[in-house]
Amino acid sequence: MRLFIAALFSLIAFAAVANEQDHGHDDHDDHAGEAHADSEHKATLGDVTLLHAWAAETEGSVVFVYVEIDNEGDAPITLLGAEADIAGTVDLVGFQSKDGVASYAPLPMLPIASGAELTLAPNAVAFRMTDVTTHLHEGDDFEIHIIFDAGEVAIMAQVEPEGATQHRHAGHNH
Amino acid sequence: MFEAFWYALPILVQDIFVFLGLLVPLAITGIICLFGYRVWPLIAGLLRKHTAISATFVLLIATSVGISVGLIAQERGLREGTARAADKFDLIIAAPGSEITAMLAAVYLQPTALPLIDGATYARIESHELVDLAAPLAFGDSWEGVPVVGTTPPFVDHLSEGLRAGRVFETMEEAVAGANTPLQVGDVVEPVHGDGSDDFSEHGHPYTIVGKMNRTGSPWDNAILVAVESVWDVHAMPTGHGPDWDGTLGGPFDPSQFAGTPAVLVRAEQLWANYSLQSEFNTAETMALFPGNVLAQLHALMGDIRQVMSVLAVATQVLVAVAVLAGLSMLSRILARRMALLRALGAPRRFVFAVTWTFATVLICLGALLGIVFGVIATAVLSMVITALTDILVQARLAWPEMHLVAGFVSTVAVLSLYPAYRASRRSLLDDLRS
């Protein structure tokens, strides 16, 4: 019986450890010691600044990409979508909750008013890449072309750990 | 390759496969144990002979399974219920501060003192080309603990989608009651300032209930809605309209006469327009939030708690199973004489092993099945209690995650039952025959 109970507790302990490993380790204080050029995190299109494009590591072929967009110009600009070489399709999607069930719905466009900031983030607006051919690991980066009515701009997106909720440099202005 | 195939399957099929996959250890163990034997007549006889003790084991397992699956289903039901309660609140604009505080105040009517949005800002929101509906939500007063909220007639239509009885308020002396309030059309209420608990002061402004809303499944079912103009008026503030006002309630308001509102509900027909408005009104003066979005973030945080709960639920079940198996070891001693007789008649050790394992597994499976019934009952009762306590309509139902938990439990314990079965098969034949 003792052996039996011991085996049982090891099973529970194993389940707990496995559960722990499922959690991503968000590491947002990792700024020191890294020397990324600004250009890697930032892109501009006229008066529009894009900052901190990122995605969370995943084993699936669907990857959500997030970025901060700041329209410092005098005119509104409309976000239309994006393209990426590593993905079959990229859709601009918005989080919605209907009858208590959360989902992402495609957005045909998203106007950003003059002086407004739009932060693409989990459970909000995102680019949804489908048919991603490359397995993305933490620390990888990939190029994504973001399309506005005023033109297109490329930015490197950083792959953050699985379960991350923001870019590791979120809050830094560069 | 497998991943692509797996994700291409409908979710229901994935769930069924996971369920069956979790039962595979039970099936394999069963096939290996029972191969070549017909144990069922003996098992039926044992169950009849030891009805009371078998029923006790089954009830013990059922209670454990019922509580576990009930709790997990309830957690999901609460999550969906809180999200459903926020469905009507597309976008909330408030003064900058805590998103959670603003959401709790606007969606769940939790009493909170929020800074006010001024007339110029409100006018900018109201006149925005993408806005289909803008309504001030002015809370603070109450009647016998029921929150009284000042707003506009279109908001009542938006929230209730038609009234259950009566009509929407048309004057500053009329009000509409939520579905769960004890009020009927024709009743008169006189709200007090605040929640009426400490700073008790009647406003001396009675309202006549002229309409009753449909059930929304949110705390607004236990609220009274009045014209925002009347809320400003009873607090001796401008009514939001100039001297030429004809008395028609609602917007557009005169910015210079706008007394301020702690929150504004904004609705655009299109999802993209809501997000565009959110980015535009997230400024130094205003904070724009999607309650659904804030809730999803909160639920993501709670995800960790959910996992802990799941582990605890499994651990509890396994511990109960250990107790049951310990009991079965004792039972096997009670059965020892019969088993010894069987062996004396020529039955091999493996037959004794198969009978003991099957007996344990039958009790576990019966317990798990009854546990699902208990879970359904527990879920229904808990949902009713939570709905009554919070006014948030919780409709928890058992679903696939709970079935997976039960399948995993049954398989695990069935495999663990091999040990007492092994012990039973190794007992000394002569000792047992003599006993």
Side-chain angles (χ1 to χ4, degrees):
Chain A
M1 201 64 206
R2 253 178 308 170
L3 177 75
F4 174 57
I5 292 174
L8 203 71
F9 274 99
S10 2
L11 196 80
I12 296 168
F14 172 73
V17 170
N19 185 45
E20 189 60 36
Q21 283 175 343
D22 280 349
H23 295 211
H25 296 285
D26 297 6
D27 189 2
H28 299 136
D29 302 324
D30 203 22
H31 200 225
E34 288 188 26
H36 293 294
D38 272 4
S39 58
E40 285 185 35
H41 291 302
K42 193 172 174 179
T44 52
L45 176 72
D47 292 324
V48 179
T49 307
L50 292 92
L51 199 59
H52 296 150
W54 68 279
E57 179 176 329
T58 172
E59 288 181 10
S61 61
V62 177
V63 178
F64 287 82
V65 187
Y66 314 102
V67 64
E68 298 165 29
I69 304 172
D70 190 1
N71 179 11
E72 290 155 333
D74 296 329
I77 187 164
T78 302
L79 177 61
L80 296 175
E83 282 173 0
D85 289 341
I86 62 164
T89 51
V90 185
D91 292 310
L92 178 64
V93 292
F95 174 90
Q96 61 176 2
S97 172
K98 274 193 178 157
D99 200 27
V101 180
S103 63
Y104 283 93
L107 304 177
M109 59 174 170
L110 217 167
I112 306 167
S114 157
E117 269 184 46
L118 175 73
T119 303
L120 276 66
N123 301 317
V125 180
F127 292 118
R128 181 173 59 194
M129 303 197 298
T130 42
D131 300 330
V132 175
T133 48
T134 319
H135 188 128
L136 297 174
H137 296 95
E138 181 185 351
D140 290 352
D141 53 14
F142 60 91
E143 195 176 63
I144 180 163
H145 291 256
I146 298 176
I147 306 162
F148 296 92
D149 56 349
E152 187 179 322
V153 61
I155 185 169
M156 294 306 288
Q158 180 100 22
V159 180
E160 299 293 341
E162 189 179 350
T165 54
Q166 58 181 351
H167 188 278
R168 64 184 57 198
H169 300 167
H172 294 273
N173 287 322
H174 290 268
Chain B
M1 184 67 189
F2 173 76
E3 190 194 342
F5 167 75
W6 180 252
Y7 286 111
L9 291 174
I11 289 176
L12 177 67
V13 178
Q14 287 182 10
D15 280 332
I16 292 171
F17 273 138
V18 171
F19 180 73
L20 295 176
L22 285 166
L23 287 176
V24 164
L26 170 71
I28 292 176
T29 316
I31 290 167
I32 294 173
C33 283
L34 301 183
F35 186 75
Y37 292 140
R38 280 186 68 240
V39 295
W40 297 111
L42 201 54
I43 296 295
L46 283 176
L47 284 173
R48 267 198 302 276
K49 179 83 184 163
H50 301 282
T51 312
I53 201 157
S54 305
T56 309
F57 283 142
V58 168
L59 276 177
L60 201 60
I61 297 171
T63 311
S64 147
V65 169
I67 291 173
S68 299
V69 299
L71 274 180
I72 291 173
Q74 201 58 41
E75 187 274 336
R76 190 182 53 242
L78 193 58
R79 226 169 345 117
E80 288 177 359
T82 48
R84 206 179 293 117
D87 266 4
K88 292 278 180 179
F89 296 84
D90 298 61
L91 188 60
I92 298 290
I93 299 181
S98 156
E99 287 192 338
I100 292 173
T101 307
M103 179 187 74
L104 287 177
V107 179
Y108 304 104
L109 295 176
Q110 296 297 304
T112 320
L114 291 178
L116 302 181
I117 284 181
D118 62 21
T121 308
Y122 184 84
R124 208 156 65 81
I125 299 167
E126 190 181 35
S127 62
H128 197 289
E129 57 179 3
L130 292 178
V131 172
D132 292 311
L133 170 67
L137 304 176
F139 18 79
D141 290 345
S142 67
W143 169 81
E144 295 191 359
V146 175
V148 174
V149 186
T151 185
T152 60
F155 174 76
V156 181
D157 291 332
H158 167 66
L159 186 65
S160 173
E161 294 179 4
L163 293 177
R164 181 191 286 183
R167 57 176 174 79
V168 179
F169 47 80
E170 289 171 357
T171 71
M172 291 209 281
E173 288 73 37
E174 293 177 343
V176 169
N180 291 354
T181 58
L183 299 166
Q184 303 303 328
V185 173
D187 290 350
V188 175
V189 294
E190 191 164 338
V192 295
H193 191 65
D195 60 9
S197 54
D198 41 20
D199 185 16
F200 181 83
S201 59
E202 281 193 4
H203 284 309
H205 183 109
Y207 291 95
T208 305
I209 305 294
V210 295
K212 191 143 183 174
M213 291 196 294
N214 288 316
R215 197 166 187 212
T216 63
S218 75
W220 287 78
D221 289 339
N222 193 30
I224 297 169
L225 277 67
V226 300
V228 68
E229 288 91 341
S230 69
V231 173
W232 289 325
D233 192 45
V234 298
H235 289 91
M237 294 193 284
T239 57
H241 302 280
D244 303 330
W245 182 42
D246 64 358
T248 308
L249 299 176
F253 295 101
D254 179 344
S256 66
Q257 301 296 314
F258 190 90
T261 177
V264 183
L265 169 104
V266 176
R267 179 174 160 68
E269 286 298 330
Q270 302 295 331
L271 186 61
W272 61 264
N274 280 304
Y275 276 111
S276 182
L277 287 166
Q278 187 194 26
S279 80
E280 189 165 347
F281 285 99
N282 253 337
T283 62
E285 294 82 38
T286 50
M287 167 177 77
L289 60 110
F290 281 101
N293 181 323
V294 179
L295 273 175
Q297 288 173 29
L298 280 178
H299 292 156
L301 282 176
M302 289 203 306
D304 290 350
I305 299 170
R306 191 159 65 245
Q307 280 177 319
V308 171
M309 264 175 67
S310 303
V311 171
L312 285 179
V314 172
T316 313
Q317 284 182 8
V318 172
L319 286 176
V320 168
V322 170
V324 169
L325 293 178
L328 280 173
S329 296
M330 285 184 271
L331 188 67
S332 71
R333 271 177 217 169
I334 299 168
L335 302 180
R337 204 175 142 74
R338 287 164 195 281
M339 296 299 168
L341 270 173
L342 279 175
R343 282 190 52 207
L345 292 172
R349 281 182 193 277
R350 203 170 78 77
F351 184 74
V352 173
F353 178 88
V355 168
T356 316
W357 180 83
T358 311
F359 186 58
T361 305
V362 164
L363 294 187
I364 290 156
C365 290
L366 287 176
L369 287 174
L370 188 63
I372 292 173
V373 177
F374 282 6
V376 170
I377 297 168
T379 309
V381 172
L382 277 173
S383 295
M384 273 197 302
V385 172
I386 294 177
T387 303
L389 287 177
T390 63
D391 284 316
I392 295 168
L393 180 64
V394 175
Q395 295 169 314
R397 272 183 287 268
L398 293 197
W400 283 106
E402 288 78 66
M403 296 300 130
H404 295 161
L405 188 73
V406 174
F409 166 76
V410 168
S411 269
T412 308
V413 183
V415 172
L416 292 177
S417 304
L418 292 171
Y419 183 70
Y422 170 77
R423 287 287 298 266
S425 70
R426 306 306 296 177
R427 294 180 67 86
S428 161
L429 180 62
L430 280 178
D431 287 354
D432 285 343
L433 278 175
R434 280 199 202 106
S435 64

